[in-house]
Amino acid sequence: MPELIDTHCHLDAAEFDGTQGAVVGRARAAGVAQIVVPAVAADNFDAVLALRSRYGCPVALGLHPIYLNQHTAAHLALLDNLLEAERPVAVGEIGLDFWQEGLDPAQQEALLAAQLKLARRHDLPVLLHVRRAQDRVLKYLRQYPVPGGIAHAFNGSVQQAEAFIALGFCLGFGGAMSYSGSTRIRQLAATLPLDALVLETDAPDMRPEWAQGVPNEPANVAHYATLLASLRGVPLDTIAEITSQNAKRVLRLSAAAPVDLGKPV
């Protein structure tokens, strides 16, 4: 089967402390050739970059809206410098979260706009967190066009999906598809253009229905590929090949150095 790509995995999370090598090894055994690791705050930039050095993981650097109250102007300046010095594959994870309480919408939007400007300056795609804010994020993408990216954990309408696609974005699907009650998500996964879909885990979060109570892992991308093939009625090889091509295209992974996921430890 063609290689698989997990386009969104927080491999630096505390749930993986001391087991990262084993997690990467299981992913590799499951056919996951690349694991994209996005940062969420300035204090984990170094940890994410270390995963690139150790396992060859493509990385993204950004300031996540959920940690809005931790971010400062100095962190934005640091991000600007690291985007130039380290050349990650994307700016991320960035976006808007209008679901979680206690996060000022205006401050979130200012932070998003600032990071979209950085993505434009450094000619980088973005990894977007979009929760109950689809139309607002689309407004900022039109105001500050960037070289595409991925709308992570897509949960919008068909019309919103088409708007993201028109702006050069792919849409991320993963654990939410695994729930039998997620009929709308499954319908989107089954009917949206396949050349706009990518696979992701958001590990250790967004646990699949069959693995509650344990951390999600990048190896589960293989299960998500099988599920997506079933939903669309196409061969598994087709899903693996096309979703990986999509990820390589939108994150420019084909131009990156060959990835060595390392040996399990």
Side-chain angles (χ1 to χ4, degrees):
M1 186 174 71
E3 66 180 24
L4 294 163
I5 296 175
D6 184 352
T7 61
H8 202 108
C9 171
H10 297 285
L11 190 59
D12 62 307
E15 288 89 338
F16 295 136
D17 284 352
T19 66
Q20 289 166 337
V23 169
V24 169
R26 286 192 289 272
R28 185 178 56 184
V32 182
Q34 299 197 58
I35 303 170
V36 179
V37 182
V40 296
D43 63 6
N44 81 320
F45 288 172
D46 287 345
V48 167
L49 289 167
L51 290 169
R52 182 174 69 177
S53 296
R54 183 169 186 184
Y55 298 114
C57 297
V59 301
L61 300 177
L63 304 174
H64 195 296
I66 284 183
Y67 304 102
L68 178 68
N69 297 326
Q70 298 179 23
H71 307 322
T72 68
H75 295 160
L76 273 172
L78 173 62
L79 176 60
D80 189 9
N81 291 334
L82 288 176
L83 294 177
E84 178 66 30
E86 297 292 345
R87 296 304 300 173
V89 298
V91 179
E93 181 178 353
I94 68 174
L96 297 176
D97 193 311
F98 291 168
W99 176 81
Q100 184 160 316
E101 296 181 357
L103 301 173
D104 181 79
Q107 292 182 18
Q108 287 192 61
E109 290 179 29
L111 179 65
L112 173 60
Q115 293 185 93
L116 290 176
K117 290 176 184 177
L118 290 180
R120 283 164 56 87
R121 180 184 307 165
H122 295 281
D123 189 34
L124 289 170
V126 297
L127 299 182
L128 290 173
H129 175 96
V130 187
R131 190 148 61 161
R132 294 194 180 172
Q134 306 280 349
D135 290 335
R136 203 68 177 168
V137 169
L138 285 165
K139 171 197 169 182
Y140 280 95
L141 292 174
R142 295 185 182 107
Q143 187 173 353
Y144 305 106
V146 297
I150 296 172
H152 154 59
F154 184 75
N155 190 23
S157 67
V158 172
Q159 293 75 19
Q160 289 164 336
E162 292 171 346
F164 278 108
I165 293 168
L167 292 171
F169 280 76
C170 284
L171 311 172
F173 285 86
M177 288 191 301
S178 71
Y179 290 84
S180 55
S182 296
T183 54
R184 190 174 65 83
I185 295 291
R186 289 187 169 195
Q187 179 68 12
L188 289 168
T191 58
L192 289 173
L194 184 54
D195 63 2
L197 305 189
V198 294
L199 296 171
E200 61 176 27
T201 60
D202 199 24
D205 298 321
M206 290 188 68
R207 296 167 177 82
E209 187 173 47
W210 65 81
Q212 293 299 297
V214 297
N216 193 5
E217 290 198 8
N220 283 327
V221 163
H223 297 288
Y224 301 157
T226 299
L227 175 57
L228 185 58
S230 176
L231 290 173
R232 299 188 71 98
V234 300
L236 177 58
D237 283 6
T238 299
I239 293 296
E241 181 177 1
I242 295 179
T243 59
S244 293
Q245 286 177 352
N246 296 343
K248 290 178 180 180
R249 180 187 73 249
V250 76
L251 297 180
R252 306 168 182 172
L253 297 180
S254 59
V259 172
D260 179 1
L261 291 183
K263 296 181 180 179
V265 296

